[in-house]
Structures are given as C-alpha cells and as structure tokens.
Amino acid sequence: MRQIASHVDTGSAVFKENVEAYEKLVATLRDRMEWAIRGGENRDRSIERHLVRGKIMVRDRIDLVIDDHTPFLELSSLSGYGQYDNAAPGGGIVTGVGLVEGVPYVFIANDATVKGGSLLPVAIKKHVRAQQIADENDLGVIYLVDSGGAFLPLQDEIFPDKDHFGGSFYRQARMSARGLPQISVVMGGCTAGGAYVPALSDEVIMVEGIGRIFLGGPPIVKAALGEVIDPDELGGAQMHTRVSGVSDYMASTEREAYGRVREICATTNARRIDDRQAWMDWVEPQPPAQPPEDIYGIISADHRIPFDATEIIARMVDGSKFSPFKPEWGTSIICGFARIWGHLVGVIGNNGIIFSEAALKATHFIELCEQRRIPLLFLQNTSGYMVGKDSEAAGIAKHGAKMVAAVANATVPKYTVLIGGSYGAGNYGMCGRGFEPRFLFAWPNSRIATMAADTAETVLVDIREGGMKGAETTEEHLAEIRAEIRSQYETQSDPYYATSRLWDDGLIDPVHTRDVLGLCLALAARQDEPAPGPGIVYRM
C-alpha cells in the first residue's frame, strides 16, 4: 500500500477556523458526556441514598469486574439526552464491552440512581441493542442488576411489542442456548419481568442484604393475598441461594460478588481477545503517519462546504497507507484497502453526492470484499443519490439499488461512522442502521435525516404552497411555514437528537475513531469466519 500524500495546508486561515469551530463541537460533546457520567442535574439526593446503602456507583461496578488497565468501550452514553425532561442520563442504564480474564463481554448495568433503576423505553431499547451486539459478535453478557422494574406510566412503550422487554428475554434465552455465557449479579431490586434477567442466566450471584428477586414485591403480595412479608424473607439472597435455588452464589459484599464473576468467567470456553483467527488478515499495527488531530481542521466549519474523505482516511489508518480501488472513476466515492490496528479492511467513503458510476464502483468493491472475506468500513458524508432528468435516464435508481443490495447481502463484518451528512437513501447505501452494521458511531458534526434542512424547506414549502389558495399564500404565512420546517429538520437531524434515541452506538471524538474501530475489529478477529452469503453477481 502507498502512503497517502496529504494536501491539507495546516497553516492556512481556513484550517485554523475549522479547528476552532470543531474544538467547540468537541467541548460540547465532552460537557454532555460529563453530564451523563455525573448523572445529570439535581440528583445529589438519589446518589447519596445509593451510597448510604453501601452500594457502588454503576461505572465503578464495571471497573471492579473488568481486567486492570484495559479499555471499556461504553456504548450510547448520551441515550435519553433531551428526553424525559433530561432526568434520565444514559437512559438509566450503562452498556458496553470490556475484558474479563482476557475475554470480551458485553455489560448491561442498571443505574439505580436514575428513577430508582426503573426501566424507561430508551433503557429497554439500549438493553436490547447491547444484546444484539453480543449476539453478532459471539460475546457473553454480564448483567449487573439493580432495577425497580418497568416504568409503569409508560408501560405501553415497554411491554407488548417485539423489541420491548419480552424481546430481551427471547434474546437472552437464545444466546444461552448458543453457548454465550449469561451471568447476573443482583445487588438491588429485581422485580416482576426484571426477575427473569437473573432467572434466565446461566449463573447468578446475589449480594446479601441488598439483592432481591421477586415476581411480585411485598405490596403486590399484600394486595393479592393479604400477606405481609419482609422483602428479604420474600426474595432475599439467603432465601434464593439456600431455599429456592434461583441464585447460585451468595456474596456478603459487592466486591466479593465481582471477584466471583471473574472466577466464573475464567471457567468459560469463550475465546480470548488475542486468540486471533486465520480468516482475518492481521499484521503488527502502525500509528498513522498523518496526525489524527488534523481532522478538526479538515472538516469544514460550514457543513455545506465538502471535504476530502481521503484526508480523513489518512489520519485513521495504519501508516496512513491506502490502496485505492478505481481511483480515476466514480470519484464521488472513495474505495480502497487499508489497515486499522493491524486489521485489513475495505474502506468506502463519500466525497459528496452519489452518482451512478460511484454506486457501481462501490457495489463492485463490496463484492470483492465479500469474496475475499475482508471487513467493510463505511465513512458516511453524503446528501444521497443524484437526482434529475439525466440521472434518472441513466438508471440511478437501478444502480443505487445494486449498491443497497450488495450492502444488504454482504456477510463480512460491517462498521459505519457518520463523519458528516447522512441523508436520504445515501444512508441506506452506505450501511446505515437499517442495514445492521455491527457498530455505528457518529461524530459531533454529523447530521442524519431524509434531507438537509435547506432542501426540506424548499421542497415542503413548494408542496404546501401547491395545496393552498388565496389568502393562505401570503408571504408572511409562507415565512412561518419555512421557519417551522427548518426548525423541525434542524432539531431532528442534530447528532444529539439521534444518539439520544440510539440511532447510533455513541457520539465519539474523531481523534478516537481509530482506537474505537480497532476494539470493534478485535472482537470479529476472535470469531470463526462468518458463512458466505447466498451468492453475488460479479460486477452486477
């Protein structure tokens, strides 16, 4: 591979303006991440109550389980941001991937300082998404359970549908049957449907004095049977470990419980992270030759001004080395091979709108990666597929569909990063959420919607104007409509709006992208080679 020769002038006024603008975006991201980790505002009392009971904060719990001096890849940290009156930082649940005895596990941990650990709709969605990640990457799951059960005022958004709480039990049972370890530590409430999280686990640890499991708590038992009973007598650690058998181990403290988790993990047959499989090509990694920090100055402060995906790739891949595919044809898409932390990947990046040639080029490249069993990385920054008379006559719908079909049928691991705009069908062709990349991350400058706010304002105003008559078409009324549409699209395409609703797996600082992807690729490297798809049509 050849090293990318960067053409960025890091001393230019434009570069410096871009850096200043992007540093503000990163500062906002860090402030909001700190908000999520700190636990939002006005929560000192709930945190104090938690600590007075002798409990450990949720992220400290995870730190006590994972291997010392190893990273924890936290997912969707800003889920719930801007929702529920901003009173549910992280959605009340922490998920991510960490190493235990050298083996990666997905963690799903309740934060009992958020609404008493009650499960909001976004928490259920985050829980299910974490299980999906575990299933796709052949990872066991460690559940740190401290939950008040479903948030009953919103039960219709939690209980009955396919991906509601019942779906989490379905996935847990299926993963256990596949031999992916399901391990629960109960150090708090575990009521009603939540009781099935430990009950469906392969092994369960309960912490004496604070861990409780019951299908119906004391108030329900009293209402249903007229029976008054102590919570520990009804569902405490001693009863479930020595009488019912629901729990397998009892620990006197949380710290003891986490030591027991590590002992259990050491006995599983899950592959360690360094047990690399032959199917994924790997060499000793090299740092990028171009500084990753330059990305701040490459991304235009004005989102309407494009930037070159090749310059981004140069600051993300090993040695800044890249072997381009069809570099002289279909240039609005960049395709080629590179390495990230030693792993060979096929990279597809946007340089603007997707024309027919670019769509065919990407399709061809996706097929090559599928044939050669090389993981795919999509770097999204596009307004979508080209429109207009000439494009339609040239078959843009057909060629775009070929690209979409190739993405849908590729069985190699796929990863997506939103580095700019992600609009319309371009989101689909570049492996958006609906096409199930193993992980999807976004940068704080990214935008996602059916179309940009400027375009939506023009299109929707024209449509509404066409349906109005007479006095309704005054310039003042049209100005109100324009403002309404622009506000809607600017709000709903904001990256924090997206990440709050788990449209991605987290907002990340561009400088950290290489490391995040390296961790994700390492998970795939320990798996068996995925079975090839049903077949491809070479060159379509």
Side-chain angles (χ1 to χ4, degrees), residues 276 280-288 316-319 338-345 511-522 525:
R276 301 191 186 279
M280 267 185 73
D281 190 308
W282 185 84
V283 299
E284 286 294 328
Q286 301 175 338
M316 191 181 293
V317 302
D318 289 13
R339 292 186 183 274
I340 295 178
W341 277 99
H343 301 284
L344 183 64
V345 294
V511 171
H512 300 154
T513 306
R514 165 182 161 79
D515 293 339
V516 169
L517 291 172
L519 290 169
C520 296
L521 288 162

Side-chain angles (χ1 to χ4, degrees), residues 260-322:
R260 174 67 75 169
V261 170
R262 292 182 56 81
E263 289 177 14
I264 292 171
C265 291
T267 67
T268 71
N269 61 354
R271 287 176 176 154
R272 297 171 63 88
I273 201 73
D274 53 3
D275 293 340
R276 301 191 186 279
Q277 303 304 300
W279 83 272
M280 267 185 73
D281 190 308
W282 185 84
V283 299
E284 286 294 328
Q286 301 175 338
Q290 303 291 346
E293 294 80 6
D294 285 354
I295 292 174
Y296 294 173
I298 293 168
I299 297 175
S300 305
D302 185 341
H303 66 87
R304 294 168 297 185
I305 300 175
F307 55 89
D308 187 357
T310 304
E311 298 287 358
I312 301 296
I313 294 167
R315 288 152 179 87
M316 191 181 293
V317 302
D318 289 13
S320 299
K321 295 177 181 178
F322 184 65

Side-chain angles (χ1 to χ4, degrees), residues 416-427:
T416 302
V417 183
L418 274 57
I419 67 171
S422 175
Y423 295 113
N427 171 272

Side-chain angles (χ1 to χ4, degrees), residues 388-396:
K389 178 182 176 182
D390 292 343
S391 293
E392 298 292 356
I396 186 64

